[in-house]
Amino acid sequence: MMIKTEACPADQPDALMRNVLEEVAEEVFLLDGASLCVTWANRTAIRRSGYDLKELCGLNLADLLPPSQEMDHLFRSLRQGEREEILHYGKRRRRDGSRYSATFRLRCFDNALALFVSDDSEAVTLEQALGRSARRFGDFERELLRVNRAMTALTRVSEALVRAKDEASLLDEVCRLAHDIAGYPLVWVGYARHTPGQPVEAMAVAGRDESYIHEADITWSENDPRGRGPAGRAIRSGRMQIARNIATETSFAPWRQAALRHGFRSTIALPLIVQGLPIGAMILYATDIDAFDDKEVRLLGDLAQNLSYGIHTCRVEAERARAERRLKESEARYRSLVELLPDAVLVHRHGNILFANAKAEQLLHLPPCDRLVGRHLASFLHPRHHPQILPLIERGAYAQVPREMSFVRHGGQEFPVEVVGTEIHFHGECARLIVARDITERRQVQAQLVQTAKLATLGEMAAGMAHELSQPINVIRMAAEATLMFMDRGKANHDFQRTQFSMIEAQAGRMAEIIDHIRIFSRKDTAPVEVFDAILVLQSAVQLMAHQAESHDIAVQLAFPSAPWPVSGRPVQLEQVILNLLANAVDAIRQRREEQPGHRGFISLKAAAGADGMLRVEVCDNGIGIPPDVLDRLFEPFFTTKPVGHGTGLGLSVSFGIATSMGGRLEALPGRSGSCFVLTLPRAADCGLLAADCATQPLPSAGTEATHVLLVDDEPLAVETMAHFLGELGYRISIAHNGREAWEVYRNDPADVVVTDLRMPDMDGEMLIDHLRDIDPLQPIVVVTGHMGATEQLGRHGEDDRLTLLKKPVSLAALAQEVERLSRPPA
């Protein structure tokens, strides 16, 4: 058979097939279907032939097969599809020139050939048998058939290992081959089960009378007679077991009658060992006594070893497939979870976005055609955060604690988010995962809670507020009555009247400060963060609570630093914290008095610089105290230790949030007889805090008749008083009692300055201002109002320097100054 030798292609079997073929006892060669060159050979072929793999790949089919004209004919019939395989016997030549008897089996696949070579040097051949005594010819013939039967089974099992798709099909195929090809009448594979009774479960059966296996009820338990047969012993010991004569084998007693009835005379059990542990056995039956000689046993041992390796390989492959399936299911499950999250989930590497869920794109209001993947975090991070956040992103740092910042939506709208991040592996490389939550609604709820707590505090302070207002009203009334009485008697000289009216003016100013303080405290605090003197705020809060403490006979001890202490935040919010703590202290002392009548209560408020450089404010009392078991819940919203109907449960929660937002902390000190709260605040950079300006208002300048002032107020006495005062200063005055009347007056006689109230019937002040601005955007306007929400209502005019706001009760001198300022032409 003349075959041209060509270069060996690089094709090799895949990893699974290669691992299996490397372990078989036969020589295996894979050849290219066109050139017939060796493309791969297993370790057995390399070991027996004496060639290395590179040298073997230089050979072709003609170099491997013994020369034979019959072989040429058989090969042509194989290539033409007339045969499934070629089975040939001959001599196999090694590299060193020596030869050995071998069985050559050649199979043709789609574009390749596979050559299997079995070593027959130890097998008994027909020629050798004929050379012996004719008396022993039958024995040699039977021995040859047995050995060839075992070799055939081993060869075909090696093929099955390559073709097997899973463990079950491998076991079925091996049993079928051992029965159909090798001729064993019954073959089965049983696995040892670690369940009660330790049964051996038949996993695959082939041959006649399969019912015998199902009736046998075999176990591998040493304590059970049905576990002492060949199968049970093979599993326990890990060594093959042979029953050479079933009729006389003592251990075979439980199955003897059934086996003989089915024609079985001998059997062999081959242990299947996977990763060093017996998992079961392969059992073959024969119809002859002592049917398994040493040569056949060795070959069957190789068969069991190959099958064990094939089982292990199938299990590894099955586990890999299960792992891949679980991984895909896990990825799909977590992707669904991430896509359903109400928060934005982003994966980035140094700021470049690698993954974004649908919520992230919805949160940023991206158009349908736009995507976040491929963009940088800086594209939607608010620019004021860039100097702080972008260097962290570049360094690969991440925050495992929530951090609040602002994002910018498509279109420019800013919104607050809470961001938390961690390090992950994404597509095999390190990346950062961040979760961003829109906290717009949460901030609104927090603001509502703060406002609710402030209003609750005002309600608790109502009695004190009434007393604070009744005192100046009482002075004003008595001063006014005394002045009228002395005037009626002709005894009210100029100095007396000036003294009385100065007293009335001072008390009215005192009332204005109290009302203004309540107005500021009660409204929603939307003022920007500023630097202010914390000591002044503490003093102001104490003044508001002083009367309430005194009315309950509670002593208040104060200790403040003499120098200002600048902090950053909102003054009203800090005052709210102190008022909450003082109000709680009063309630705690009152509760203790209910239990201990006559208890002398005191509240201590001390402020001083702490060792850490922060302002430390202590508010302590000798009241009922705080139970130790509620300390952990003290700052939870709506949690209160007060009786039902007293307190909202919001004061301490809101105060804790305010302290945290100012960079400080609020905590309760345990182990005290009463209660003691400590507020610590960091010192802000000193921005030139000044003491309150208590200077007397300067006298107003005289006006001119050329300046026309329109006064609008639905209170006749108020508008007439302002008209009389400004008229005395020389201004030309017009009066209106509602917005519509003022609009008619203005259209007929435009005013240089308009002074108006806000709440009026028949067109309020806001509508009047809008009408005036439509005609003249620079019209000077002074708003005089007692409405607490005026600042918020006029917020859209916040940058209008031609509009000013004065709060009732208003100073006539301050009114005259504003009129004089606004009547001057703009610069």
Side-chain angles (χ1 to χ4, degrees):
M1 179 172 61
M2 302 300 295
I3 301 174
K4 182 180 179 181
T5 302
E6 297 183 4
C8 175
D11 296 339
Q12 291 188 3
D14 60 30
L16 174 62
M17 182 187 295
R18 184 168 62 250
N19 290 338
V20 174
L21 295 179
E22 289 285 9
E23 299 298 324
V24 300
E26 292 180 292
E27 298 179 54
V28 181
F29 300 89
L30 299 183
L31 302 98
D32 180 69
S35 65
L36 301 181
C37 283
V38 176
T39 62
W40 182 83
N42 68 349
R43 285 197 291 265
T44 304
I46 295 171
R47 176 173 53 81
R48 288 182 181 171
S49 66
Y51 293 97
D52 59 29
L53 181 60
K54 184 176 180 180
E55 291 172 331
L56 285 175
C57 286
L59 304 178
N60 62 18
L61 185 61
D63 299 318
L64 301 175
L65 296 174
S68 169
Q69 293 183 352
E70 178 187 4
M71 191 64 183
D72 292 342
H73 172 73
L74 294 174
F75 181 72
R76 282 194 298 272
S77 65
L78 177 67
R79 295 296 296 267
Q80 293 172 1
E82 298 174 2
R83 289 175 175 268
E84 180 182 352
E85 67 177 16
I86 297 174
L87 189 64
H88 184 70
Y89 302 94
K91 294 291 185 179
R92 171 85 167 92
R93 185 175 64 84
R94 298 186 179 93
R95 182 179 184 181
D96 60 5
S98 61
R99 297 175 179 272
Y100 60 91
S101 299
T103 299
F104 300 85
R105 190 164 54 80
L106 189 64
R107 292 182 64 86
C108 185
F109 298 96
D110 292 338
N111 297 313
L113 295 173
L115 176 62
F116 300 88
V117 182
S118 301
D119 186 356
D120 295 346
S121 58
E122 296 183 0
V124 180
T125 64
L126 182 60
E127 290 81 359
Q128 291 172 323
L130 291 175
R132 300 186 182 183
S133 171
R135 180 176 54 83
R136 302 183 57 193
F137 178 76
D139 295 338
F140 279 109
E141 184 178 26
R142 285 191 294 274
E143 182 181 1
L144 176 64
L145 290 175
R146 285 198 301 269
V147 172
N148 287 339
R149 179 179 65 184
M151 291 179 60
T152 302
L154 178 62
T155 302
R156 299 302 293 270
V157 165
S158 299
E159 294 179 13
L161 296 179
V162 177
R163 294 195 303 267
K165 296 181 180 179
D166 53 55
E167 184 175 347
S169 63
L170 171 64
L171 298 180
D172 287 339
E173 182 67 5
V174 168
C175 289
R176 185 191 67 79
L177 290 172
H179 171 68
D180 295 348
I181 304 300
Y184 295 103
L186 179 63
V187 183
W188 67 287
V189 173
Y191 281 178
R193 296 306 184 197
H194 296 268
T195 57
Q198 297 178 295
V200 177
E201 181 181 356
M203 306 302 297
V205 183
R208 70 190 189 198
D209 302 324
E210 293 183 10
S211 60
Y212 166 76
I213 300 302
H214 301 295
E215 297 170 1
D217 189 21
I218 299 172
T219 74
W220 61 286
S221 172
E222 190 173 9
N223 299 324
D224 185 352
R226 292 183 175 273
R228 298 170 189 164
R233 297 200 308 273
I235 293 173
R236 288 196 304 273
S237 65
R239 295 189 298 270
M240 68 175 64
Q241 302 292 327
I242 303 175
R244 300 189 180 278
N245 188 347
I246 290 176
T248 61
E249 182 73 33
T250 305
S251 63
F252 215 85
W255 311 279
R256 181 178 294 116
Q257 296 301 323
L260 295 176
R261 188 170 61 252
H262 287 282
F264 305 140
R265 296 296 180 268
S266 59
T267 181
I268 183 171
L270 308 168
L272 301 176
I273 301 175
V274 175
Q275 292 185 302
L277 297 176
I279 64 165
M282 180 178 183
I283 301 94
L284 302 91
Y285 295 83
T287 56
D288 298 330
I289 297 174
D290 199 13
F292 304 97
D293 63 10
D294 293 343
K295 297 183 181 65
E296 184 176 6
V297 167
R298 285 199 301 272
L299 292 173
L300 290 176
D302 291 341
L303 184 151
Q305 182 180 355
N306 290 350
L307 177 57
S308 298
Y309 183 80
I311 292 172
H312 173 65
T313 303
C314 288
R315 289 185 175 183
V316 170
E317 181 65 18
E319 180 58 31
R320 183 192 64 79
R322 284 194 296 270
E324 288 183 354
R325 186 168 60 254
R326 287 195 298 266
L327 179 60
K328 290 180 180 179
E329 292 173 354
S330 177
E331 289 178 349
R333 183 166 58 252
Y334 281 105
R335 178 175 288 272
S336 299
L337 178 62
V338 167
E339 292 296 344
L340 291 174
L341 281 177
D343 301 324
V345 178
L346 301 168
V347 177
H348 71 92
R349 187 175 295 117
H350 299 298
N352 298 310
I353 299 175
L354 308 175
F355 169 82
N357 67 345
K359 184 61 179 181
E361 297 177 347
Q362 295 172 9
L363 201 64
L364 295 170
H365 292 180
L366 292 185
C369 59
D370 203 354
R371 290 291 179 267
L372 278 174
V373 175
R375 296 173 59 176
H376 197 276
L377 291 174
S379 63
F380 53 83
L381 181 65
H382 196 281
R384 69 170 172 271
H385 299 304
H386 287 185
Q388 180 184 11
I389 302 299
L390 293 185
L392 297 178
I393 294 174
E394 289 300 323
R395 294 201 306 268
Y398 59 92
Q400 289 184 320
V401 295
R403 180 197 295 265
E404 291 189 7
M405 59 185 69
S406 294
F407 283 179
V408 180
R409 289 191 172 99
H410 182 77
Q413 180 188 3
E414 178 186 354
F415 66 101
V417 293
E418 183 180 72
V419 178
V420 66
T422 188
E423 188 174 5
I424 65 169
H425 279 80
F426 188 78
H427 291 170
E429 297 185 28
C430 288
R432 270 75 187 173
L433 179 143
I434 62 174
V435 179
R437 173 172 295 177
D438 186 351
I439 58 173
T440 303
E441 292 185 5
R442 189 174 77 187
R443 284 193 174 180
Q444 292 173 351
V445 172
Q446 289 175 342
Q448 291 172 359
L449 287 176
V450 171
Q451 183 66 10
T452 301
K454 283 167 43 175
L455 295 178
T457 302
L458 278 179
E460 294 177 359
M461 297 190 307
M465 293 295 101
H467 178 270
E468 291 295 322
L469 289 174
S470 65
Q471 291 286 67
I473 291 174
N474 186 51
V475 174
I476 290 172
R477 182 170 185 175
M478 288 189 297
E481 287 181 355
T483 303
L484 291 174
M485 182 181 68
F486 274 77
M487 289 177 66
D488 290 341
R489 296 180 180 183
K491 296 181 179 181
N493 58 32
H494 176 76
D495 292 338
F496 175 78
Q497 292 182 33
R498 183 174 184 82
T499 299
Q500 294 296 97
F501 285 123
S502 295
M503 185 188 305
I504 292 173
E505 192 275 337
Q507 294 302 312
R510 178 182 171 188
M511 293 174 59
E513 289 179 0
I514 296 172
I515 294 173
D516 191 48
H517 197 93
I518 297 174
R519 178 190 296 117
I520 294 173
F521 185 77
S522 62
R523 76 184 180 203
K524 291 184 179 179
D525 192 0
T526 57
V529 172
E530 59 181 285
V531 176
F532 61 92
D533 184 6
I535 306 305
L536 290 179
V537 173
L538 296 179
Q539 293 172 345
S540 176
V542 171
Q543 289 175 2
L544 284 175
M545 287 296 298
H547 175 72
Q548 185 172 349
E550 292 173 2
S551 66
H552 293 288
D553 193 22
I554 299 174
V556 180
Q557 301 173 1
L558 304 176
F560 295 140
S562 58
W565 189 284
V567 296
S568 178
R570 296 180 176 90
V572 171
Q573 290 188 346
L574 177 57
E575 185 176 23
Q576 181 180 357
V577 173
I578 302 302
L579 287 175
N580 281 331
L581 296 178
L582 291 174
N584 288 343
V586 171
D587 290 341
I589 294 172
R590 293 174 61 190
Q591 289 184 49
R592 183 167 182 180
R593 279 184 181 163
E594 292 177 0
E595 299 177 0
Q596 302 176 14
H599 173 69
R600 298 285 296 176
F602 77 86
I603 299 174
S604 170
L605 194 154
K606 298 179 181 180
D612 55 359
M614 300 180 74
L615 179 64
R616 180 183 175 92
V617 182
E618 290 187 4
V619 180
C620 302
D621 63 70
N622 63 345
I624 194 70
I626 304 171
D629 58 338
V630 303
L631 278 174
D632 293 338
R633 301 188 57 198
L634 208 54
F635 298 104
E636 293 181 6
F638 304 107
F639 177 79
T640 180
T641 59
K642 297 179 181 180
V644 177
H646 297 271
T648 62
L650 293 173
L652 287 179
S653 173
V654 169
S655 298
F656 182 86
I658 292 173
T660 303
S661 68
M662 295 179 68
R665 62 183 183 274
L666 177 63
E667 55 188 339
L669 298 182
R672 301 298 181 98
S673 58
S675 58
C676 190
F677 290 86
V678 177
L679 171 66
T680 53
L681 296 173
R683 185 184 184 96
D686 195 337
C687 296
L689 292 171
L690 300 176
D693 184 9
C694 300
T696 306
Q697 289 278 8
L699 292 175
S701 303
T704 170
E705 291 186 359
T707 302
H708 181 201
V709 179
L710 172 59
L711 302 175
V712 190
D713 199 314
D714 60 339
E715 176 57 49
L717 287 177
V719 74
E720 290 173 5
T721 301
M722 290 188 293
H724 181 74
F725 181 78
L726 293 176
E728 286 294 326
L729 293 179
Y731 294 103
R732 183 166 66 89
I733 306 299
S734 296
I735 294 176
H737 296 93
N738 57 60
R740 191 171 302 282
E741 182 182 344
W743 176 238
E744 294 296 331
V745 171
Y746 184 89
R747 286 198 302 176
N748 296 325
D749 185 8
D752 297 300
V753 180
V754 176
V755 181
T756 181
D757 192 7
L758 281 184
R759 289 190 173 182
M760 298 180 295
D762 201 6
M763 186 187 294
D764 62 16
E766 279 200 90
M767 293 182 63
L768 175 61
I769 293 172
D770 291 338
H771 281 48
L772 295 174
R773 283 288 188 259
D774 288 340
I775 294 178
D776 183 2
L778 298 179
Q779 171 66 50
I781 300 172
V782 179
V783 176
V784 179
T785 181
H787 180 36
M788 294 183 180
T791 303
E792 288 80 2
Q793 287 181 327
L794 297 176
R796 63 182 184 278
H797 302 295
E799 298 180 358
D800 189 351
D801 61 354
R802 307 299 289 169
L803 182 146
T804 189
L805 176 66
L806 297 179
K807 289 168 285 188
K808 293 180 181 179
V810 68
S811 165
L812 290 176
L815 173 63
Q817 282 187 344
E818 288 301 317
V819 171
E820 192 274 332
R821 182 182 68 83
L822 292 174
S823 63
R824 292 194 298 264

